[in-house]
Amino acid sequence: MGENDESEIIEHHDAEEMEKMRTPRNQSQSFLEKDGYSSTQSSHRLLAYSDALISIIATVMILPVAHTKFQDNEELKQSIQALLTTKIAVYLMTFLIVTVAWAAHIRLFQVIQRIDDTLALLNLACMMLITFLPYTFSLMATFPNNTLGILLFCACVMVIGLIQALIVLYGFSRPFLLNDQIQMSENQAYYKRRILEVIMRVPIMCLFASIFSVIFIQMSYIILAMVIFLPYISQCLKWIRSKAIGGQVEDSPDSVPFYTYHPSEPLSKERVESFSDGVYAIVATLLILDICEDNVPDPSVMKKEFNNNLIAALQEYGPEYLAYFGSFATVGLLWFVHHSLFLHVTKTTRLMSLFNTFSLAFVGGLPLAYQLTHEFPRGSRNELEAVQISCVIIFFAGLFQLAIWVTALFTERETLHPYVRYGGREHTFMLAKLSLYPCVALGTFVFTCVLSRFSTSIFHMMEIGVPFAFLVLRLLVRVVLVLLRWLFCPVRNDLDSVPVEEEDSQLPIIDIVT
């Protein structure tokens, strides 16, 4: 017992000595954590609010396009050409610009992971200006030769950049707000300088665009277009420089992949999913607005023409109801495919996010497809072209989802679960699931060209039939694989028994391509 008491006294004495030897830096950090950290909170709710706000403002820009009225005697081709030069172009460019701002917001709050009241208010000011961007872009599209629209747009972007710079400076002045990796780093000054340099590139480009708007307005539009593709232009220039002169791109001292502009730079998978879910939910909701607004019978008309028979009055809107349920099923199943894909994605990269943005832009066009499919008389040329436009929208929405998966396959060890990698047991099924909508939309387009008289019926059969195809898809894939193996690999019957542990050793897709 005496020896134990002596050892306890020695341990207690050593603990007191260690407490006395604490450096002033550790004491100040402890004070900050006690005083400042307690007044902070996790940024999850602020980010969820920001994602919802940005997804709404990106998607509702389709409403002016979808609610464009067409005359029965007006050729749809001429109308679509006029729309492409104005409203559709405005929608697509606005969607891309808003998603660029959203991607910048993701990167910023991958660095800052806790917030206080000051950061919450600064973020609200940033969100207010981001939601104002579509209006300034609409002015630019409506009055392309007027400098006011460009000046307003550039002013908003420059102020957004300044607010984000303030958020960075404020966050680095209180290190307990930063993520753990930067908090533990001894190179915080490097990170602060690097992040500020990247953030201020876009405001500086917008400053030059505003100056050129007074001198040579066409140059302003070229500079603004470069803003959208700046990360990829920057990366291409770095690659060209490294090949030409052998220069090495500056890496972060701790190899933390922040603000690198590389296509494989990671983005928050959770925020990509949250933003995507917001877009799908809003598009699905927009479909019912037209039903509530245009498909409720007028009481006086119902009394005069249908003798107060509500059922008879509602029968007039049968095609609209069919178009609504078919469009909702399409939106829901595209979300289902997106959900299935990201269920097996372990890391989201910048290039995957770009393809996701393109897919969501076409998903946002589905209210236009719904509006067009019941706008024109049955059997008319306009009806055929409206159905074909709807097929094109669905085709590209599904095709860019497939592009996300193909991109992930090139870095499958970092981005995909082993089940869906090349050679994994779910690889073929995921390929079939992602290819279903592009193939069906393309086939429907071809059939409507051949059987133009039945274009609307074929399109609605496609919308109603695809859900049943998803139900039996796994069975169909297995049957096809069995037939292929029976035809081409009759001897190798042990391919089905690849254990999960061996899937990591499958040859990556990048090695197969090269």
Side-chain angles (χ1 to χ4, degrees):
M1 291 293 293
E3 291 180 358
N4 292 337
D5 292 341
E6 185 178 354
S7 63
E8 289 179 2
I9 292 172
I10 292 173
E11 289 177 0
H12 180 70
H13 181 267
D14 290 341
E16 289 181 347
E17 290 296 323
M18 290 295 295
E19 186 70 24
K20 291 178 182 179
M21 292 173 63
R22 272 190 174 182
T23 62
R25 180 182 176 184
N26 291 335
Q27 292 176 356
S28 63
Q29 285 182 346
S30 176
F31 175 78
L32 282 174
E33 290 179 1
K34 185 181 295 184
D35 186 58
Y37 188 89
S38 61
S39 62
T40 67
Q41 58 182 336
S42 173
S43 60
H44 293 316
R45 188 172 181 183
L46 177 139
L47 300 182
Y49 171 77
S50 303
D51 291 340
L53 197 63
I54 295 174
S55 63
I56 291 171
I57 200 62
T59 310
V60 296
M61 288 300 295
I62 196 60
L63 289 178
V65 184
H67 289 173
T68 301
K69 298 299 181 182
F70 300 97
Q71 301 297 326
D72 291 342
N73 58 355
E74 183 182 9
E75 289 191 8
L76 185 59
K77 274 188 178 179
Q78 297 176 353
S79 303
I80 289 296
Q81 289 173 358
L83 280 173
L84 284 174
T85 57
T86 53
K87 293 182 178 179
I88 292 180
V90 169
Y91 162 70
L92 291 175
M93 291 300 296
T94 302
F95 196 98
L96 289 174
I97 287 172
V98 171
T99 50
V100 166
W102 166 75
H105 194 268
I106 286 182
R107 303 170 82 200
L108 180 60
F109 281 91
Q110 284 181 166
V111 174
I112 298 174
Q113 293 190 339
R114 297 192 65 83
I115 62 167
D116 57 11
D117 292 345
T118 303
L119 284 180
L121 293 175
L122 287 173
N123 182 72
L124 284 177
C126 191
M127 289 297 105
M128 179 184 67
L129 291 170
I130 289 176
T131 56
F132 192 70
L133 287 177
Y135 175 73
T136 62
F137 202 84
S138 297
L139 289 178
M140 292 167 56
T142 308
F143 307 100
N145 295 320
N146 195 310
T147 60
L148 181 60
I150 295 180
L151 292 175
L152 284 175
F153 178 83
C154 293
C156 285
V157 174
M158 287 188 286
V159 176
I160 290 171
L162 291 175
I163 293 174
Q164 290 182 341
L166 283 176
I167 291 175
V168 171
L169 293 173
Y170 183 83
F172 275 88
S173 68
R174 291 161 175 77
F176 53 84
L177 298 174
L178 305 174
N179 67 38
D180 295 337
Q181 203 162 1
I182 295 182
Q183 282 190 53
M184 296 168 60
S185 173
E186 297 180 355
N187 301 292
Q188 290 186 9
Y190 167 84
Y191 287 122
K192 181 171 69 172
R193 175 176 59 83
R194 170 65 179 167
I195 293 170
L196 288 175
E197 286 176 357
V198 174
I199 285 177
M200 295 309 296
R201 287 181 186 180
V202 173
I204 290 173
M205 291 181 68
C206 287
L207 176 62
F208 282 109
S210 61
I211 294 173
F212 275 104
S213 66
V214 182
I215 305 171
F216 184 57
I217 195 168
Q218 286 77 11
M219 189 62 189
S220 298
Y221 287 108
I222 295 174
I223 295 175
L224 292 180
M226 290 174 60
V227 169
I228 298 176
F229 301 101
L230 179 61
Y232 311 100
I233 296 173
S234 175
Q235 191 63 31
C236 288
L237 292 176
K238 286 182 179 179
W239 182 82
I240 293 171
R241 187 188 68 181
S242 64
K243 294 297 182 182
I245 61 176
Q248 296 294 324
V249 180
E250 181 185 8
D251 292 325
S252 58
D254 299 327
S255 299
V256 181
F258 295 130
Y259 287 87
T260 62
Y261 275 159
H262 195 277
S264 61
E265 176 187 355
L267 294 177
S268 171
K269 176 194 169 186
E270 291 75 17
R271 292 200 63 185
V272 172
E273 291 176 327
S274 177
F275 177 77
S276 303
D277 290 343
V279 171
Y280 282 106
I282 295 160
V283 170
T285 308
L286 292 178
L287 296 173
I288 196 60
L289 294 181
D290 294 318
I291 293 284
C292 296
E293 181 181 356
D294 301 329
N295 300 106
V296 177
D298 184 81
S300 59
V301 174
M302 187 180 71
K303 181 178 180 180
K304 182 179 179 180
E305 298 184 6
F306 300 98
N307 196 23
N308 281 333
N309 189 338
L310 182 58
I311 296 177
L314 292 178
Q315 287 177 352
E316 296 290 319
Y317 302 113
E320 284 84 347
Y321 297 140
L322 185 61
Y324 164 72
F325 287 114
S327 299
F328 191 94
T330 302
V331 175
L333 289 173
L334 283 170
W335 172 86
F336 168 71
V337 174
H338 189 276
H339 166 74
S340 301
L341 172 61
F342 276 83
L343 194 64
H344 298 291
V345 169
T346 57
K347 186 183 78 171
T348 308
T349 64
R350 173 177 286 279
L351 188 56
M352 292 167 64
S353 178
L354 178 66
F355 287 132
N356 185 63
T357 297
F358 290 151
S359 176
L360 294 178
F362 281 97
V363 169
L366 288 174
L368 173 63
Y370 159 74
Q371 190 75 17
L372 290 176
T373 50
H374 67 270
E375 183 80 14
F376 303 103
R378 296 293 300 271
S380 64
R381 180 68 183 176
N382 284 349
E383 184 191 45
L384 171 62
E385 293 175 356
V387 168
Q388 291 175 342
I389 291 170
S390 301
C391 291
V392 169
I393 292 174
I394 297 172
F395 172 78
F396 280 106
L399 184 66
F400 282 115
Q401 286 185 340
L402 180 61
I404 297 172
W405 185 60
V406 173
T407 303
L409 284 174
F410 279 89
T411 54
E412 57 183 13
R413 292 188 181 276
E414 292 81 23
T415 56
L416 289 177
H417 193 277
Y419 288 159
V420 292
R421 295 176 190 169
Y422 183 81
R425 69 187 189 190
E426 293 289 318
H427 176 84
T428 306
F429 179 62
M430 181 59 66
L431 174 62
K433 187 183 289 187
L434 290 165
S435 303
L436 184 59
Y437 257 119
C439 293
V440 169
L442 184 61
T444 304
F445 183 92
V446 174
F447 274 114
T448 55
C449 293
V450 177
L451 304 172
S452 57
R453 290 180 56 189
F454 308 102
S455 59
T456 303
S457 301
I458 294 172
F459 181 74
H460 289 318
M461 285 177 61
M462 179 271 289
E463 289 185 313
I464 295 172
V466 169
F468 296 99
F470 273 107
L471 292 176
V472 298
L473 184 61
R474 186 179 291 273
L475 178 62
L476 292 175
V477 169
R478 288 179 178 176
V479 170
V480 171
L481 286 177
V482 169
L483 290 175
L484 290 176
R485 288 167 182 168
W486 180 72
L487 291 173
F488 300 104
C489 306
V491 178
R492 299 180 60 188
N493 295 322
D494 57 340
L495 292 178
D496 289 327
S497 59
V498 179
V500 175
E501 291 78 12
E502 294 181 8
E503 290 175 355
D504 282 330
S505 63
Q506 299 291 339
L507 188 62
I509 189 68
I510 183 64
D511 295 340
I512 296 170
V513 173
T514 55

